[in-house]
Amino acid sequence: MATIRFGQHVIKATSVFLQTELSFALVNRKPVVPGHVLVCPLRLVERFRDLRPDEVADLFTTTQRVADIVEKHFKASSLTIAIQDGPEAGQTVKHVHVHVLPRRAGDFERNDSIYDELQKHDKDSEDVPSKWRSEEEMAKEATELRGLFS
């Protein structure tokens, strides 16, 4: 697989660091905090309610595995795990995805500011290539993470 669909986007497989039977995990082109990754169902599904029970189970089991590794790898002490389900919730990529964000004491002045940042993160006006990480940077992080799942 050279590319994979992520909603309306096509992403390079080099950004994917884990794939299960029904889910995949990828690095983020514009992380809110270091180690901010996404976990998605393989099937292109826009809303959480439209996932089949086996997809929900795999998505959350995969999220749990990813969260554990990411928290340790990025030397965090906590996690924010979030799903923005629908446009009014801030979802701009039309594909269910779970945000996994490693957290540290003091990473935001106000702890809940993470949600403001997440909301801004995907806005079309904010989502411009000049703010994205390079393909090489993302591939390097994905390779590091991929090695932790073997």
Side-chain angles (χ1 to χ4, degrees):
M1 134 181 97
T3 60
I4 193 165
R5 298 260 337 147
F6 176 47
Q8 60 271 40
H9 305 285
V10 176
I11 58 165
K12 291 189 176 176
T14 53
S15 296
V16 175
F17 61 88
L18 179 65
Q19 185 172 329
T20 66
E21 184 184 344
L22 299 172
S23 303
F24 67 99
L26 68 152
V27 297
N28 202 319
R29 69 183 178 192
K30 205 173 64 170
V32 172
V33 293
H36 175 188
V37 299
L38 306 173
V39 183
C40 317
L42 282 169
R43 186 168 68 95
L44 187 55
V45 178
E46 187 172 338
R47 298 292 306 276
F48 185 75
R49 66 175 175 238
D50 297 324
L51 291 170
R52 298 184 315 255
D54 60 336
E55 290 171 317
V56 171
D58 191 80
L59 181 68
F60 276 88
T61 300
T62 303
T63 298
Q64 188 178 45
R65 284 180 64 202
V66 166
D68 182 48
I69 295 288
V70 165
E71 181 177 353
K72 289 173 185 162
H73 182 69
F74 288 93
K75 297 174 178 47
S77 55
S78 298
L79 296 158
T80 293
I81 298 172
I83 297 175
Q84 295 164 293
D85 191 36
E88 288 71 37
Q91 180 184 18
T92 56
V93 176
K94 296 178 179 190
H95 190 155
V96 174
H97 56 285
V98 181
H99 292 264
V100 178
L101 301 102
R103 301 293 306 276
R104 294 186 185 94
D107 56 3
F108 288 90
E109 190 175 321
R110 221 182 95 257
N111 197 38
D112 280 352
S113 293
I114 188 90
Y115 300 108
D116 300 330
E117 289 303 311
L118 206 49
Q119 197 80 4
K120 284 193 308 197
H121 161 267
D122 284 333
K123 281 201 173 131
D124 290 336
S125 61
E126 292 284 314
D127 199 22
V128 291
S130 63
K131 296 186 178 188
W132 300 346
R133 297 193 295 166
S134 70
E135 293 289 341
E136 295 77 23
E137 204 177 348
M138 292 177 5
K140 182 179 183 289
E141 184 175 289
T143 298
E144 278 176 25
L145 290 171
R146 201 175 298 121
L148 301 174
F149 288 92
S150 336

